[in-house]
């Protein structure tokens, strides 16, 4: 049974930092690309960052502020978020995708096979 469990969300002031974690189980973690997506109320789900053997990709809105990393030995992917802004407020989801052949595929939520339940990040101004 595949499970992706996010943690680390919370309430933070603008300019602050958070680190999200996503612990995976039930599949061969290293064989999958891992992505972080977010969804704000009334908006579509969007990619924040993704990492795989092909490389790393970030949304333009988070470049230079967020860092994605993965620890294959711990079956965990992280998202370090610095200089947080109120517009970063959203539910953050981690996702796992197999066979993402291009970096464009990493951007598309439909490319991902498994999803976590999400963790709320709220940035106050």
């Amino acid at each position: 049974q595949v499970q992706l469990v996010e943690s680390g969300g919370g309430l933070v002031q603008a300019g602050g930092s958070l680190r999200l974690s996503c612990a995976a189980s039930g599949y061969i973690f290293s064989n999958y690309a891992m992505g972080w997506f977010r969804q704000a109320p009334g908006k579509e789900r969007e990619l924040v960052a993704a990492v795989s053997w092909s490389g790393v990709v970030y949304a333009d809105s988070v470049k230079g502020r967020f860092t994605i990393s993965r620890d294959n030995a711990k079956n965990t992917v992280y998202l370090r978020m610095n200089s947080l802004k109120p517009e970063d407020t959203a539910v953050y989801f981690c996702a796992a995708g197999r066979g993402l052949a291009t970096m464009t595929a990493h951007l598309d939520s439909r490319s991902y096979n498994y999803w976590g339940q999400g963790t709320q990040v709220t940035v106050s101004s």
Side-chain angles (χ1 to χ4, degrees):
Q1 180 182 0
V2 173
Q3 280 193 314
L4 297 175
V5 180
E6 301 98 334
S7 61
L11 174 64
V12 64
Q13 288 188 331
S17 298
L18 285 173
R19 189 180 80 156
L20 305 183
S21 300
C22 173
S25 61
Y27 68 99
I28 302 175
F29 181 78
S30 60
N31 287 354
Y32 283 69
M34 296 300 298
W36 284 99
F37 289 78
R38 67 185 180 187
Q39 188 165 19
K43 295 188 176 181
E44 293 189 355
R45 190 170 297 189
E46 62 174 357
L47 176 81
V48 176
V51 59
S52 71
W53 294 110
S54 300
V56 177
V57 62
Y58 292 97
D60 288 343
S61 59
V62 306
K63 283 181 181 176
R65 299 189 297 122
F66 290 12
T67 303
I68 189 171
S69 61
R70 63 189 296 164
D71 186 336
N72 289 339
K74 295 183 178 180
N75 289 357
T76 302
V77 62
Y78 304 97
L79 184 69
R80 178 67 181 181
M81 306 185 293
N82 295 329
S83 303
L84 282 160
K85 304 176 181 180
E87 51 263 44
D88 294 319
T89 295
V91 178
Y92 284 70
F93 301 87
C94 72
R98 181 79 186 270
L100 275 58
T102 67
M103 294 315 296
T104 300
H106 289 64
L107 302 175
D108 190 344
S109 61
R110 296 170 297 179
S111 300
Y112 292 80
N113 308 100
Y114 307 118
W115 290 84
Q117 81 288 348
T119 185
Q120 177 71 46
V121 171
T122 303
V123 184
S124 63
S125 57

